[in-house]
Amino acid sequence: MARKSVIIGVAIAIIVIIIAGVASYIYLSHVRKSTVTRPTKVSKPTHVVTRAPTCKVAWPSVTVQYARLFKIINTGKYYLIVKDAANHTFILVPRGCPAPKNVSGIVIYVPVKRVVYFSTTEVALLYRIAQALHKMSMLKTVVGVTWRGVWWIPYMQELLNNGTTKYVGSSWEPNIEEILALDPDLVVMYTGFATMVQIMNKLEKAGLKVFVDNEWLEKSYIARFEWIKAIGALYGPEALKAAEEVFNSAVKTIEEVYDMCRGLPKVRYAWFVMYWGKFYVPGAESYVAKALAKMGGEYLFQSATLRRTGSATVSREYIDAQVAKAQLIVISGFPPYTTSLNPYVKALPDMIKAPALRTFRVFEYHPSYWQLGYAYTGKVILQIASLLHPEKFRGVYRTFFIPLYFTDKTMSIGGVEITWRGYYEIIRDLYGDKILIIPWGLTRQLKYFNPKVFPALATLEKDIKSVNAIVQTPVRRVVVYYTCARYIDDLGFTKSIIYTVTGSVNIGKIVSMHPDVVILDSSHVSKNIVDELISHKIPVIVLDCSNVKSGFIISLLYNYPDLGYMLFLK
């Protein structure tokens, strides 16, 4: 028994040892598995897959019909392709959308937020879009400009004054470091000259994206204005749609004007400017000459400029011989650089013979022409038509073209003394009050130009101090005595009359209406009434409205001395 017990005990011990060994093996195997990575079974890393945002942006279907120097390519997708005048390809991608793959070009995220513009004409197109959308804040995207002169585009001068927009040097010598500091999304510039191409290359070398807008090389007013679509595209689908609508409206206006001019008598015209003794004229194939041909203009410099699409220089002798035949003369300068007929007649002795001088049909550009004139091309064409055919286009406000006279000549019409100052005039009415009549906004030039450099401005400065009132033309809000109203009706500006005085003069009512001018009849108003209105800073002109020649004085208030001559002096 004892031996059996011993054998059983040994057997149990052996079993315990075996069990412990197995347990140890299992434990060690588990530890090895938990601490050793097998090189033969490397697990692949897990990626979080994110899908590109779905862009449901729809661009309007826009075609380029007249311009030849840029293209818009509708892809039917969320991005748009635009080719500029330098044949750069731009891929316009709405913000928040990815750049498309396998499409080569310069990616621009729109609407652009920071842009440097080299030309006022480009900013003018942006302004027109902003106005159409009632989003003047779009002008704040203009972070840099190369124009240092007077800005006629609303808000731009304020943006420069408060530092929102910076001057970055002239277009011929831009400060590239300052442009880089502005961190623009885009630089919009023009070329057409070797110097400007070199500047474009320098900007691109500096890492800037450059969009070339060469609207000035297009061959018609309509084609030049069509660049509004290119500017609109840079600000996204909504702006492009607005640009298209603005453009279509302008085309409609222009075509209607051309239709209205068909069959009207031909008008011999001269269009030129003199700089430093040289004479510059539009070529016979220029956008100016072609437009006026459609409106009945007979270009007197046609033979000397055949096949010329831009401007051309011609001899003084040629100009002198031709301008003597002109029924209409347009000087393509503007104040304060061109301020009088005197230097022209001195350089061109035969110009004094031109019918245009006798009939008050000499005009020049208003300084806003190269800014707002680009924003409102339809109005420019309409106003040119009014120069050619003033009787047909009565009531068209002339804001881009202003009359040009001799300097310091006087004449008396209807008992009113007129002193001509070249681009404005001073009248002394029947009560002896002096009124300065000047195209809109031109008194602003005293803030930006040195009168010591521009003698005409020095004269203007003195005249402002010597007059009783200033009237800026064309007037749009007129209070008139009923006996004088017929002359306004004849000129086509009945809608400018905001109040017709038929009895006693209600001073309080007139003052509350803030008129541009009050026209009263000397037979029906006392000097005391006039003085009281003047004390409220209301411009007043007193005429003898029983004298038909008084209608000519009124025509000066609308920039229509030519029509005033035809109706009231001829």
Side-chain angles (χ1 to χ4, degrees):
M1 279 300 288
R3 186 177 179 183
K4 187 177 181 179
S5 297
V6 171
I7 293 171
I8 292 171
V10 170
I12 292 172
I14 292 171
I15 292 170
V16 170
I17 292 170
I18 291 171
I19 292 172
V22 172
S24 297
Y25 175 80
I26 294 170
Y27 172 77
L28 289 174
S29 297
H30 174 73
V31 170
R32 288 190 189 102
K33 284 183 179 181
S34 64
T35 58
V36 178
T37 301
R38 296 183 181 181
T40 56
K41 293 185 179 181
V42 179
S43 59
K44 294 182 180 180
T46 302
H47 293 284
V48 177
V49 178
T50 57
R51 294 183 179 180
T54 301
C55 290
K56 296 182 179 180
V57 178
W59 288 87
S61 180
V62 172
T63 58
V64 179
Q65 300 170 270
Y66 303 90
R68 59 190 177 85
L69 298 177
F70 81 97
K71 295 178 181 178
I72 292 178
I73 301 171
N74 297 285
T75 64
K77 300 178 182 178
Y78 65 88
Y79 60 90
L80 189 74
I81 294 177
V82 177
K83 288 183 177 290
D84 71 357
N87 206 32
H88 295 138
T89 298
F90 290 88
I91 306 167
L92 306 186
V93 180
R95 291 183 182 276
C97 296
K101 296 180 179 180
N102 303 320
V103 181
S104 60
I106 303 166
V107 175
I108 300 291
Y109 290 98
V110 298
V112 288
K113 294 183 178 180
R114 302 180 62 80
V115 186
V116 172
Y117 285 96
F118 269 44
S119 173
T120 60
T121 58
E122 298 154 358
V123 179
L125 298 178
L126 172 61
Y127 166 75
R128 189 68 186 85
I129 295 168
Q131 187 186 56
L133 291 173
H134 304 289
K135 292 181 179 180
M136 287 305 165
S137 60
M138 291 175 72
L139 291 176
K140 292 182 179 179
T141 65
V142 183
V143 295
V145 293
T146 61
W147 174 248
R148 197 173 207 163
V150 181
W151 279 89
W152 297 93
I153 297 171
Y155 306 105
M156 282 307 303
Q157 197 67 57
E158 180 184 345
L159 292 174
L160 277 160
N161 292 343
N162 66 27
T164 301
T165 303
K166 305 285 186 183
Y167 174 70
V168 295
S170 71
S171 58
W172 295 88
E173 293 182 309
N175 189 320
I176 295 179
E177 289 185 1
E178 287 189 11
I179 294 175
L180 286 168
L182 292 174
D183 190 26
D185 300 328
L186 196 64
V187 175
V188 179
M189 67 174 294
Y190 59 91
T191 58
F193 305 99
T195 300
M196 297 308 294
V197 173
Q198 291 170 6
I199 290 170
M200 178 189 74
N201 292 335
K202 288 180 181 178
L203 292 169
E204 291 179 330
K205 188 175 180 181
L208 293 161
K209 297 178 180 180
V210 180
F211 185 93
V212 177
D213 171 358
N214 277 349
E215 97 285 324
W216 71 283
L217 293 175
E218 298 288 357
K219 294 184 177 180
S220 70
Y221 275 103
I222 292 178
R224 290 157 79 95
F225 188 54
E226 193 166 19
W227 275 83
I228 195 172
K229 296 177 184 178
I231 298 298
L234 299 176
Y235 287 83
E238 183 186 29
L240 178 57
K241 181 180 178 182
E244 170 88 340
E245 291 172 354
V246 168
F247 176 74
N248 290 341
S249 177
V251 171
K252 183 174 182 291
T253 296
I254 292 169
E255 290 177 345
E256 287 174 352
V257 170
Y258 290 163
D259 286 341
M260 291 174 68
C261 291
R262 286 195 179 94
L264 295 179
K266 297 290 184 182
V267 178
R268 297 186 304 275
Y269 76 94
W271 191 299
F272 67 106
V273 69
M274 177 176 66
Y275 284 125
W276 303 106
K278 289 187 177 181
F279 294 90
Y280 299 86
V281 305
E285 295 299 318
S286 68
Y287 72 99
V288 171
K290 290 196 295 185
L292 269 77
K294 292 182 179 180
M295 291 183 275
E298 186 178 305
Y299 191 30
L300 290 171
F301 306 143
Q302 178 90 8
S303 62
T305 60
L306 295 174
R307 293 182 295 279
R308 295 296 295 270
T309 58
S311 63
T313 56
V314 292
S315 69
R316 183 192 66 80
E317 293 76 16
Y318 178 82
I319 291 279
D320 199 21
Q322 296 300 315
V323 77
K325 309 170 189 175
Q327 296 170 294
L328 168 67
I329 297 174
V330 177
I331 305 296
S332 53
F334 54 87
Y337 305 101
T338 303
T339 58
S340 172
L341 278 174
N342 292 36
Y344 280 85
V345 172
K346 183 178 180 180
L348 303 168
D350 284 345
M351 185 173 173
I352 197 69
K353 303 175 185 177
L357 271 70
R358 185 180 68 256
T359 57
F360 297 94
R361 297 187 71 182
V362 183
F363 296 84
E364 67 172 330
Y365 292 169
H366 187 279
S368 67
Y369 178 88
W370 293 112
Q371 296 182 34
L372 291 175
Y374 262 72
Y376 297 99
T377 297
K379 290 184 178 180
V380 168
I381 293 296
L382 191 56
Q383 291 177 36
I384 292 174
S386 81
L387 301 181
L388 289 164
H389 311 287
E391 290 181 287
K392 178 72 172 179
F393 290 90
R394 305 183 196 205
V396 172
Y397 280 102
R398 292 172 176 169
T399 55
F400 301 126
F401 298 91
I402 58 177
L404 188 62
Y405 310 108
F406 287 100
T407 300
D408 297 331
K409 282 198 171 186
T410 60
M411 63 188 301
S412 181
I413 296 178
V416 175
E417 183 182 273
I418 305 173
T419 301
W420 306 107
R421 286 282 199 258
Y423 65 103
Y424 65 94
E425 59 271 5
I426 296 173
I427 67 170
R428 188 184 292 274
D429 72 4
L430 294 184
Y431 281 171
D433 292 316
K434 292 173 67 177
I435 300 96
L436 188 150
I437 301 173
I438 188 168
W440 69 279
L442 293 190
T443 56
R444 287 179 58 209
Q445 293 188 324
L446 291 169
K447 296 181 181 179
Y448 302 101
F449 294 93
N450 187 346
K452 294 180 179 179
V453 178
F454 298 94
L457 289 180
T459 302
L460 174 60
E461 198 169 39
K462 292 178 182 177
D463 286 338
I464 288 174
K465 296 175 181 178
S466 70
V467 300
N468 299 95
I470 299 174
V471 176
Q472 298 194 58
T473 62
V475 291
R476 295 175 183 268
R477 295 176 56 81
V478 180
V479 171
V480 61
Y481 202 80
Y482 77 96
T483 54
C484 307
R486 58 188 172 123
Y487 303 121
I488 297 176
D489 295 337
D490 290 342
L491 292 165
F493 290 98
T494 304
K495 290 183 179 180
S496 70
I497 300 174
I498 58 173
Y499 177 48
T500 302
V501 180
T502 57
S504 60
V505 177
N506 186 328
I507 293 175
K509 182 174 183 177
I510 292 174
V511 171
S512 70
M513 300 180 84
H514 305 288
D516 296 331
V517 67
V518 175
I519 303 170
L520 297 176
D521 192 330
S522 61
S523 301
H524 300 276
V525 67
S526 68
K527 182 69 166 72
N528 291 338
I529 294 292
V530 172
D531 289 343
E532 189 169 351
L533 284 168
I534 291 174
S535 72
H536 288 283
K537 301 187 183 304
I538 302 296
V540 182
I541 299 175
V542 180
L543 306 172
D544 174 10
C545 290
S546 65
N547 186 335
V548 70
K549 291 183 178 181
S550 294
F552 178 78
I553 305 298
I554 293 175
S555 76
L556 301 179
L557 303 175
Y558 295 93
N559 292 337
Y560 269 84
D562 49 346
L563 185 56
Y565 173 83
M566 294 177 190
L567 297 177
F568 312 120
L569 297 184
K570 191 173 179 180

